[in-house]
Amino acid sequence: WVNEKAGEERIVYHAGAVGVIYKLKEDDQDFFTGHDDDIVCLDFHKGSGLVASGSIGAGRTVRLCIWESWGELKQRQCITGFQQYAVVAVAFNPDASMVASVGMDEHHSVALHSVETGMLLAHLACDKNRVVSTIFNTGADVDSCANFITVGVKHICFWGPMDTAVK
């Protein structure tokens, strides 16, 4: 992901358990070290400059971290306790008030968390087939802050407010 905040071009990516911000003009890097195991997914919210990253782990020790991609790379949230084995997909909603995550448990559970507090807002079992990605729907004819899509092996699901889903 490329962050062009304040005219600085930065590339956001992960390597092992570290989030990396590469500053193109300065040819320098900053590192986010809030994970204790390999990061397997990452999303960057261009409007806010926030990054969400998910890692693998044992049982419920996996981490979903929300952190700033500027300054000291301050961690906003470190969410644990719901997803199991890994957070395999993560996505911010358009206004960066929520983050959706998909776990690697038997049902590839989907969770919505508040970015501000880290609180679990909603969760549902998704599918026994492998789910590999999620993204919020940014179409003009839907509530883009509440509607998102999950995709995977023999799977596509359009989620509305957490009580509705169309597979």
Side-chain angles (χ1 to χ4, degrees), residues 33-143:
T33 57
H35 289 279
D36 59 359
D37 212 330
D38 289 352
I39 298 171
V40 293
C41 64
L42 181 137
D43 189 33
F44 171 72
H45 188 269
K46 196 169 190 166
S48 68
L50 292 175
V51 178
S53 51
S55 63
I56 62 174
R60 294 185 188 272
T61 63
V62 301
R63 292 183 183 190
L64 169 58
C65 295
I66 301 169
W67 45 284
E68 298 171 352
S69 65
W70 65 91
E72 297 177 16
L73 308 187
K74 179 182 169 192
Q75 181 170 285
R76 294 271 188 101
Q77 301 295 335
C78 180
I79 302 165
T80 61
F82 177 72
Q83 299 292 14
Q84 296 182 44
Y85 310 115
V87 176
V88 296
V90 63
F92 284 104
N93 70 337
D95 68 4
S97 63
M98 290 188 297
V99 64
S101 65
V102 178
M104 201 165 95
D105 59 284
E106 179 182 3
H107 298 285
H108 296 94
S109 297
V110 173
L112 288 178
H113 289 274
S114 165
V115 168
E116 185 177 332
T117 65
M119 184 169 70
L120 180 64
L121 302 172
H123 64 88
L124 285 171
C126 186
D127 198 329
K128 287 198 175 218
N129 290 318
R130 186 171 183 216
V131 178
V132 297
S133 187
T134 185
I135 188 167
F136 275 83
N137 188 344
T138 58
D141 58 336
V142 297
D143 178 3

Side-chain angles (χ1 to χ4, degrees), residues 149-163:
I149 303 163
T150 53
V151 295
V153 177
K154 298 181 183 178
H155 168 86
I156 185 166
C157 187
F158 299 87
W159 301 84
M162 284 306 284
D163 60 347

